[in-house]
PDB file of all heavy atoms in Angstrom:
ATOM      1  N   HIS E  94       6.476 -19.051 -30.314  1.00 84.00           N
ATOM      2  CA  HIS E  94       6.507 -19.863 -29.102  1.00 84.00           C
ATOM      3  C   HIS E  94       5.596 -21.078 -29.297  1.00 84.00           C
ATOM      4  O   HIS E  94       4.479 -20.954 -29.807  1.00 84.00           O
ATOM      5  CB  HIS E  94       6.037 -19.044 -27.898  1.00 84.00           C
ATOM      6  CG  HIS E  94       6.954 -17.899 -27.574  1.00 84.00           C
ATOM      7  ND1 HIS E  94       8.028 -18.015 -26.737  1.00 84.00           N
ATOM      8  CD2 HIS E  94       6.964 -16.604 -28.016  1.00 84.00           C
ATOM      9  CE1 HIS E  94       8.649 -16.855 -26.645  1.00 84.00           C
ATOM     10  NE2 HIS E  94       8.017 -15.979 -27.417  1.00 84.00           N
ATOM     11  N   ARG E 121      18.100  -3.941 -29.847  1.00 74.00           N
ATOM     12  CA  ARG E 121      19.201  -3.416 -30.668  1.00 74.00           C
ATOM     13  C   ARG E 121      20.298  -4.465 -30.739  1.00 74.00           C
ATOM     14  O   ARG E 121      20.827  -4.898 -29.708  1.00 74.00           O
ATOM     15  CB  ARG E 121      19.755  -2.114 -30.091  1.00 74.00           C
ATOM     16  CG  ARG E 121      20.787  -1.454 -30.996  1.00 74.00           C
ATOM     17  CD  ARG E 121      21.215  -0.098 -30.449  1.00 74.00           C
ATOM     18  NE  ARG E 121      22.088   0.600 -31.378  1.00 74.00           N
ATOM     19  CZ  ARG E 121      23.404   0.422 -31.437  1.00 74.00           C
ATOM     20  NH1 ARG E 121      23.990  -0.426 -30.611  1.00 74.00           N
ATOM     21  NH2 ARG E 121      24.131   1.087 -32.310  1.00 74.00           N
ATOM     22  N   ALA E 149      42.227  -2.359 -59.742  1.00 79.00           N
ATOM     23  CA  ALA E 149      41.850  -2.394 -58.330  1.00 79.00           C
ATOM     24  C   ALA E 149      40.815  -1.315 -58.034  1.00 79.00           C
ATOM     25  O   ALA E 149      40.860  -0.229 -58.613  1.00 79.00           O
ATOM     26  CB  ALA E 149      43.089  -2.176 -57.458  1.00 79.00           C
ATOM     27  N   GLU E 166      31.075   6.537 -39.623  1.00 95.00           N
ATOM     28  CA  GLU E 166      30.701   6.368 -38.222  1.00 95.00           C
ATOM     29  C   GLU E 166      31.717   7.009 -37.298  1.00 95.00           C
ATOM     30  O   GLU E 166      31.355   7.659 -36.307  1.00 95.00           O
ATOM     31  CB  GLU E 166      30.562   4.882 -37.890  1.00 95.00           C
ATOM     32  CG  GLU E 166      30.151   4.630 -36.448  1.00 95.00           C
ATOM     33  CD  GLU E 166      29.957   3.167 -36.121  1.00 95.00           C
ATOM     34  OE1 GLU E 166      29.888   2.347 -37.066  1.00 95.00           O
ATOM     35  OE2 GLU E 166      29.881   2.837 -34.922  1.00 95.00           O
ATOM     36  N   MET E 169      31.267  10.836 -37.539  1.00 95.00           N
ATOM     37  CA  MET E 169      30.037  11.283 -36.886  1.00 95.00           C
ATOM     38  C   MET E 169      30.161  11.146 -35.365  1.00 95.00           C
ATOM     39  O   MET E 169      29.692  12.012 -34.612  1.00 95.00           O
ATOM     40  CB  MET E 169      28.850  10.449 -37.393  1.00 95.00           C
ATOM     41  CG  MET E 169      27.513  10.906 -36.845  1.00 95.00           C
ATOM     42  SD  MET E 169      27.124  12.615 -37.315  1.00 95.00           S
ATOM     43  CE  MET E 169      25.651  12.890 -36.326  1.00 95.00           C
ATOM     44  N   SER E 268      40.489  30.136 -35.331  1.00 93.00           N
ATOM     45  CA  SER E 268      41.542  31.140 -35.206  1.00 93.00           C
ATOM     46  C   SER E 268      42.212  30.971 -33.848  1.00 93.00           C
ATOM     47  O   SER E 268      41.572  30.543 -32.876  1.00 93.00           O
ATOM     48  CB  SER E 268      40.970  32.553 -35.355  1.00 93.00           C
ATOM     49  OG  SER E 268      40.108  32.859 -34.279  1.00 93.00           O
ATOM     50  N   ILE E 334      12.124  44.621 -15.952  1.00 95.00           N
ATOM     51  CA  ILE E 334      10.931  43.797 -16.174  1.00 95.00           C
ATOM     52  C   ILE E 334      10.083  44.389 -17.303  1.00 95.00           C
ATOM     53  O   ILE E 334       9.601  43.675 -18.187  1.00 95.00           O
ATOM     54  CB  ILE E 334      10.109  43.672 -14.879  1.00 95.00           C
ATOM     55  CG1 ILE E 334      10.898  42.867 -13.824  1.00 95.00           C
ATOM     56  CG2 ILE E 334       8.760  43.026 -15.148  1.00 95.00           C
ATOM     57  CD1 ILE E 334      10.254  42.842 -12.456  1.00 95.00           C
ATOM     58  N   ALA E 388      24.630  52.415 -12.730  1.00 91.00           N
ATOM     59  CA  ALA E 388      23.536  51.473 -12.469  1.00 91.00           C
ATOM     60  C   ALA E 388      23.553  50.337 -13.503  1.00 91.00           C
ATOM     61  O   ALA E 388      23.727  50.588 -14.696  1.00 91.00           O
ATOM     62  CB  ALA E 388      22.202  52.201 -12.503  1.00 91.00           C
ATOM     63  N   THR E 402      20.696  52.231 -34.354  1.00 96.00           N
ATOM     64  CA  THR E 402      20.556  52.114 -35.806  1.00 96.00           C
ATOM     65  C   THR E 402      20.619  50.660 -36.235  1.00 96.00           C
ATOM     66  O   THR E 402      19.827  50.210 -37.079  1.00 96.00           O
ATOM     67  CB  THR E 402      21.661  52.920 -36.517  1.00 96.00           C
ATOM     68  OG1 THR E 402      21.544  54.303 -36.158  1.00 96.00           O
ATOM     69  CG2 THR E 402      21.540  52.781 -38.027  1.00 96.00           C
ATOM     70  N   ALA E 403      21.555  49.905 -35.662  1.00 96.00           N
ATOM     71  CA  ALA E 403      21.690  48.483 -36.003  1.00 96.00           C
ATOM     72  C   ALA E 403      20.502  47.679 -35.496  1.00 96.00           C
ATOM     73  O   ALA E 403      20.067  46.713 -36.137  1.00 96.00           O
ATOM     74  CB  ALA E 403      22.989  47.922 -35.432  1.00 96.00           C
TER      75      ALA E 403
END
Side-chain angles (χ1 to χ4, degrees):
H94 295 271
R121 187 175 186 274
E166 181 178 346
M169 184 61 188
S268 66
I334 293 172
T402 299

